[in-house]
Amino acid sequence: MIETYFAEAKRNDELTLQKRIRQVNDDPVVSGLLHVVSGLLAILDDKRQIISLNDSFCAMLGIQSPVETLGLRPGEALHCIHAHEGPAGCGTTKFCSTCGAAIAIVASLTSNETVERLCAMAVDKNGHTTDIALKVRSQPIEIDGNRFVLLFLQDITVEQHRAALERTFFHDISNMLTGLLGASELLYYENSQSNLAKIIRNLSVRMTKELTIQKLLINSDLSAYKPKCEPVDAYESLKELQDFFACHPLAESRKLDIAQPLHSFSITTDRSLLLRIVSNMISNALEATSKNGKIKIWLKKETNRVSYCVWNQAVIPQDIGRRIFQRNFSTKDGAGRGVGTYSMKLFAEEYLGGKVDFSTSKEQGTIFRLTLPC
């Protein structure tokens, strides 16, 4: 028996495949659709194998004729980097249970209804891995007693990228404005103005830096950002994070257990990027924590590196964990998702020379780590 981690592994034999191809080509309605639909359209058999493509799909794949893809499954034709990691190809690997295209096709065949999903796919393009985003619609049909699938694809990579950047901008700025507003309200009611004034100043400085970074992101010119590396006191960085989340809505009814280091020390890094990454780690942990729960934050100092660690009790499912840093992938609905964890890894590894990773288990919960040289 062929092993599969998600969809049925079995394929139709060559004789059955050729019969299905002729059946579709001889049907005037389906044949007309292939010529009329301007978007990407593929016809699949009941085993998810391609039996026809329209010209737009061929153009996207860079092929002259659909013959080159007949018998393949969608991920194989699109050169998904995971398509051949399972013994039976596309639809059967460990990654397929979270693939929007695979889910849409299987669900539509099972329910005999139209199913739409967003698909985040990493594809091999001329030897380089490229992330694309596809809007997938799977529509089952029946021809002469045999089941087929009309698979409509829309490449929304550019739109998804723009939406994601806009969402990131408003999300991050909103977080800081929330903190600033909370601090200003406390400043109004309390007398210890000096500390609160410092909080407001720190948030204002961060906001200025964030705006600079965001402008570069929107213009797809992040390479122009030059990290400003300076000594950052470890104790002060944790104190600033504590002050920032003290008035944050996500921290309401949740406890932040921040362990200060026994001995103060400094690291040389970009303060704004450091705080941005760890703030996102904390925000994610708070979102995953139920009310009256707590998260833990601490530093782990080693000889030549230091790690900012953020713990929460929740467990990340294995299938989600495999894709957690992939751009455009998200467990939440709506355009523009799938940027928070991706940006954490991007900023840490491309600009700070560090590393972002995580561990998760039922026994230990989930720990995200930002590790930086020192």
Side-chain angles (χ1 to χ4, degrees):
M1 182 177 179
I2 299 176
E3 184 182 10
T4 179
Y5 290 97
F6 182 59
E8 181 183 2
K10 184 179 178 181
R11 300 178 188 239
N12 283 320
D13 57 45
E14 186 63 22
L15 185 63
T16 303
L17 184 66
Q18 292 302 322
K19 183 179 178 181
R20 299 287 186 269
I21 292 171
R22 289 192 298 271
Q23 198 171 15
V24 165
N25 289 333
D26 292 341
D27 187 279
V29 176
V30 177
S31 181
L33 275 174
L34 288 168
H35 288 89
V36 171
V37 175
S38 59
L40 308 176
L41 172 61
I43 313 295
L44 312 182
D45 63 15
D46 60 334
K47 303 301 182 187
R48 311 186 312 283
Q49 293 171 265
I50 296 172
I51 57 174
S52 192
L53 296 174
N54 68 350
D55 291 339
S56 297
F57 211 132
C58 289
M60 178 199 183
L61 297 177
I63 59 177
Q64 297 297 319
S65 168
V67 173
E68 299 179 44
T69 65
L70 299 184
L72 298 179
R73 285 172 173 160
E76 295 156 1
L78 290 165
H79 303 293
C80 170
I81 63 172
H82 304 298
H84 300 287
E85 292 183 5
C90 173
T92 66
T93 78
K94 292 180 179 180
F95 288 85
C96 297
S97 63
T98 56
C99 171
I103 293 171
I105 296 167
V106 171
S108 68
L109 283 170
T110 303
S111 65
N112 202 37
E113 295 179 353
T114 302
V115 178
E116 257 190 30
R117 288 290 188 276
L118 178 66
C119 176
M121 186 179 293
V123 301
D124 186 330
K125 192 172 184 180
N126 300 321
H128 298 282
T129 299
T130 301
D131 293 306
I132 63 173
L134 300 170
K135 190 174 183 179
V136 180
R137 171 184 270 186
S138 180
Q139 170 66 58
I141 60 171
E142 188 172 304
I143 303 174
D144 296 333
N146 293 312
R147 301 182 72 202
F148 299 88
V149 171
L150 298 177
L151 188 67
F152 300 89
L153 301 181
Q154 181 183 356
D155 188 344
I156 58 170
T157 305
V158 174
E159 294 89 338
Q160 183 75 359
H161 181 55
R162 288 174 180 169
L165 293 179
E166 290 174 3
R167 184 180 290 274
T168 301
F169 173 80
F170 290 114
H171 178 268
D172 290 339
I173 294 301
S174 176
N175 279 344
M176 283 182 283
L177 285 175
T178 300
L180 187 61
L181 178 61
S184 65
E185 289 177 348
L186 288 174
L187 186 62
Y188 180 79
Y189 288 108
E190 294 184 9
N191 296 322
S192 55
Q193 297 183 9
S194 59
N195 185 51
L196 292 175
K198 182 179 180 181
I199 293 173
I200 292 173
R201 178 185 176 278
N202 288 339
L203 289 173
S204 299
V205 171
R206 285 188 60 190
M207 183 180 295
T208 303
K209 293 283 287 184
E210 289 284 353
L211 284 173
T212 301
I213 296 170
Q214 204 63 37
K215 287 179 182 177
L216 296 173
L217 279 170
I218 291 173
N219 295 323
S220 298
D221 192 23
L222 194 57
S223 60
Y225 181 76
K226 304 300 181 186
K228 182 182 178 182
C229 293
E230 58 186 350
V232 176
D233 184 273
Y235 175 89
E236 288 297 327
S237 66
L238 290 179
K239 181 66 168 61
E240 187 168 341
L241 288 165
Q242 185 175 34
D243 290 338
F244 174 69
F245 281 96
C247 306
H248 200 289
L250 284 175
E252 185 178 355
S253 301
R254 296 173 179 86
K255 182 182 178 182
L256 273 72
D257 185 353
I258 300 179
Q260 290 288 359
L262 296 175
H263 304 286
S264 183
F265 59 91
S266 66
I267 56 176
T268 301
T269 191
D270 185 298
R271 184 185 191 88
S272 180
L273 289 184
L274 164 67
L275 294 175
R276 177 178 178 137
I277 295 166
V278 182
S279 291
N280 278 334
M281 290 165 57
I282 295 173
S283 295
N284 289 341
L286 288 170
E287 287 180 344
T289 301
S290 58
K291 286 191 174 182
N292 300 319
K294 70 175 179 179
I295 70 170
K296 297 179 181 180
I297 305 159
W298 70 93
L299 290 175
K300 182 180 180 181
K301 179 72 166 63
E302 298 179 77
T303 304
N304 57 356
R305 61 182 182 177
V306 61
S307 296
Y308 284 75
C309 304
V310 179
W311 171 91
N312 72 88
Q313 185 63 56
V315 178
I316 299 173
Q318 192 175 49
D319 56 348
I320 301 302
R322 294 189 187 100
R323 291 173 173 262
I324 202 161
F325 294 117
Q326 181 178 339
R327 190 175 193 165
N328 298 322
F329 176 74
S330 177
T331 57
K332 302 172 184 175
D333 294 329
R337 300 286 187 180
V339 171
T341 50
Y342 165 79
S343 66
M344 284 161 43
K345 198 169 184 67
L346 172 70
F347 290 133
E349 299 182 4
E350 296 294 328
Y351 293 89
L352 300 184
K355 180 182 179 182
V356 167
D357 63 355
F358 74 97
S359 60
T360 185
S361 69
K362 290 182 179 180
E363 297 76 19
Q364 301 296 328
T366 297
I367 301 174
F368 271 84
R369 289 173 292 270
L370 165 63
T371 303
L372 298 172
C374 64

